[in-house]
Amino acid sequence: MDVRSRNEEVSPQLLDLIPKAKKEWRMNEEGRTQNNKNTKKDKSCCEERKLELRLGPPGGEDWFLPHNHNTKNSDESVLYLGYFPSQQTEKISTSPWACSSSSKASSFLQFPSCSPQSMPEKKAFSSSSSANPAVSSNISQKRTAPGPVVGWPPIRSFRKNLASNGISKTAHETQQQQNDVADKVAGKKPVVDNVGKGLFVKINMDGVPIGRKVDLNAYDSYEKLSSAVDELFRCLLAAQRDSSAGGIKNKEEDEEKAITGLLDGSGEYTLVYEDNEGDRMLVGDVPWHMFVSTVKRLRVLKSSELSAFTLGNKQHKKAT
Amino acid sequence: MPRIAYAFPDEVLEHVFSFIHSDQDRNAISLVCKSWYEIERWCRRSIFVGNCYAVSPVMVVKRFPKLRSISLKGKPHFADFNLVPEDWGGYACPWIEAMASAYPWLEEIRLKRMVLTDESLELISKSFKNFQVLVLSSCEGFSTDGLAAIAANCRNLRELDLRESEVEDLSGHWLSQFPDSFTSLVSLNISCLGSEVSTCALERLLAGCPNLQSLRLNRAVPLEKLVNLLGRSPNLVELGTGAYTSEMQPDVFSDLSRAFVGCKQLKSLSGFWDAMPYYLPAVYPISSRLTSLNLSYATTESPYLVKLVSECRNLQRLWVMDYIEDSGLEALAVSCKDLRELRVFPSDPFGLEPNVALTERGLVSVSEGCPELQSVLYFCRQMSNAALVTIARNRPNMTRFRLCIIEPRKPDYLTLQPLDAGFGAIVEHCKNLRRLSLSGLLTDRVFEYIGSYGKKLEMLSVAFAGDSDLGLHYVLSGCDNLRKLEVRDCPFGDKALLANAAKLETMRSLWMSSCNVSFGACKLLGQKMPRLNVEVIIDERGPPDSMPESCLVEKLYIYRTVAGPRMDMPGFVWRYTGP
């Protein structure tokens, strides 16, 4: 595989650019497109910063792609993302399905500002933290018990809990194994999968419309569960706060408030669960292994909404 | 030249066209001229709709009045991994209803990743007098009641295949709904069902259907019953066992072995749930006949596994769990010279440390020893550029290569470098590569290679890879035959997407989740590209209209369509509508 000599230069530079790029990738206050601070090849058409798009044929001749390196030896490997000089005519492509390499480069609108990037300055995006608030950031860094990354590794649900669970199975258990899906029609599918290595239970949080699932077998104590719940929902809560405040979402500078005091009633939220008899209980009262064997689903409630009714059930249970 | 075309009466042209079966060729014929379009549409018997929202049932019925067979696909592929919320769509009902009135002679319906109700199943069973084939692959929304309707009413049913669907399993009694006079069954796949089916009903069914060639049972069918069933279907070519476990009884063993031998056409085995090592050797007598073996449900760590696989000298397809380990794959490479497809699934996908001795070495061995190997799906925990380069050089005939290194962003374990060079070698050497899935630590470089060399690539799956928009741009601008692109957790954003907007109309679909595409870009795309549906799956933050344009969308699904915006979008799917 040919390795361009340029690459050796690029890689270390790329790493150097990460902290810089992170700052540059901030959204500016007018809510426009992410800036590409490119000083080297700045053609100063950056006055127009609106988002625009290009409808030219894919792979048309106007593209100077760095992979033409074997013919060019320019050390300015320039990528034009649709920058056109202003005198070009604007024609709208008429054959929508045609993947033609027609030389009539029909350009609809000029692509913005973000003038040609040169390779050394391309943004090395630190993807682990910024792309997705809902994905636990554990996965990329640590080797401790990771939070669940939805859909990874990419295996079908019915393969997840295949680890043998003994020879005789009831039909119900078998069905649970075969119908394991993260979000199912309520009331029709089981919410707990109790076989093999994963013990996934649904968890919903007040104010967060879309529920999640946690694997209780990944934890061995209430503390670990509590911190996992904190991590799972912290970003989502912050996102909700941002949206309700109408503020600009800025992931890197977001201060996410930790969700604490889930187990002792001291925090804004409290963790409760439904057991196999349908009763709602506070999490933390029974030994961990007993909890794991009876829990059916989890909820994170606002502490202020814990009613006497909820606690009454628990007390009743304690008495019996 | 036009004169020559007019010289043929329509009937002659129609007769000529009847020899053309491939969808692409048929589509090409219809583009030649108006009269060919007309003739062709009246004699098209079978269509495949890769995205059920790309066209409407009304349009299909209008254009092709005489269809006998239809295949539809619904949800995006990533729905298999729970990335698409419930109730997203993919409803088969409007299609079934349209076809029920338009095609009384419809014979075959094949659905994948669609939602189907019992009512639709009943409608199918009553609307099509000569209904023969129902294949429901990864579908959901129906119960065994719907299946009962099919069994009861489809007198000419040949094929009922529920592969990997989620069926609300009310009971096994539906199988008894096949009438005594029913004889036409050729293929039955109920492997996804949870509850027990009546063995009597099964035996009666098999006794009545002498042409049965493919039978895939579900896990609830015990091993002892399998023997009886095999005895009644001596013409089986494909068998899926139930639970492959029992008390260790020499009688059962020898009966089983004899039953296997008695099915002289048997070439394909699957099932093997809870496979007990004790019973694996029952397969040995027929191992040299086997061309396909699916042991991916067999959670068996056993040397019998390796021995079995080595005995199958004519094996073309092997699906297995990583219990086979590198040593087993080496044995496979020595024995199975006709191997074409290998899939290795992880036994402990969520564990952090390896639980089996399966590494890149196993795959390298197979690539060296099996000259016909074309299709690979491989889950492992470590990979190196050197191994990938070796595989690429060994197997330039590779057409499908899907590698999943379980830990995201894991580098080459020998050099700690990204795996760009390795995957680059794959696309460079495997010139007919049609499908590729990437994993491990990857920079924009790998996408540059893919854009340069992946000229035949049709489907690409990317996760946790790349550094910037350049990556996406390389792929969209370089892969001429790209039809499906699915991306998750990559720093790809507006620039590359907007710059390649035209490309999106040449593809079936694009999925991007946890990337860096902004709401503003989605709005712009939706605004400017009327032949694309740009659908944003909303997350907790609320609908995009309420967000600043610079906010990033969590999940985005873009597909080309001539049917306009879909009418059945749930509340959490947003599409640009305004001016």
Side-chain angles (χ1 to χ4, degrees), chain B residues 449-512:
Chain B
Y449 295 150
I450 292 173
S452 300
Y453 294 111
K455 295 306 181 189
K456 296 269 178 74
L457 200 61
E458 295 176 6
M459 181 168 177
L460 179 64
S461 306
V462 186
F464 305 104
D467 310 310
S468 75
D469 271 21
L470 266 182
L472 180 59
H473 175 69
Y474 286 137
V475 169
L476 289 178
S477 55
C479 296
D480 300 330
N481 280 299
L482 193 65
R483 291 187 297 114
K484 288 183 279 185
L485 176 60
E486 45 187 27
V487 178
R488 62 163 297 174
D489 294 277
C490 298
F492 298 153
D494 299 346
K495 289 187 209 26
L497 194 60
L498 295 176
N500 291 284
K503 171 74 172 175
L504 299 177
E505 276 190 2
T506 70
M507 292 164 54
R508 181 187 296 174
S509 66
L510 167 64
W511 168 278
M512 292 180 75

Side-chain angles (χ1 to χ4, degrees), chain A residues 79 97 132 143 177 181 240, chain B residues 219 407 470 514 540 560:
Chain A
L79 173 72
W97 298 117
N132 177 11
R143 290 192 70 76
Q177 286 171 2
V181 174
Q240 302 261 129
Chain B
R219 196 172 186 169
E407 189 182 323
L470 266 182
S514 307
E540 290 79 12
R560 69 179 177 187

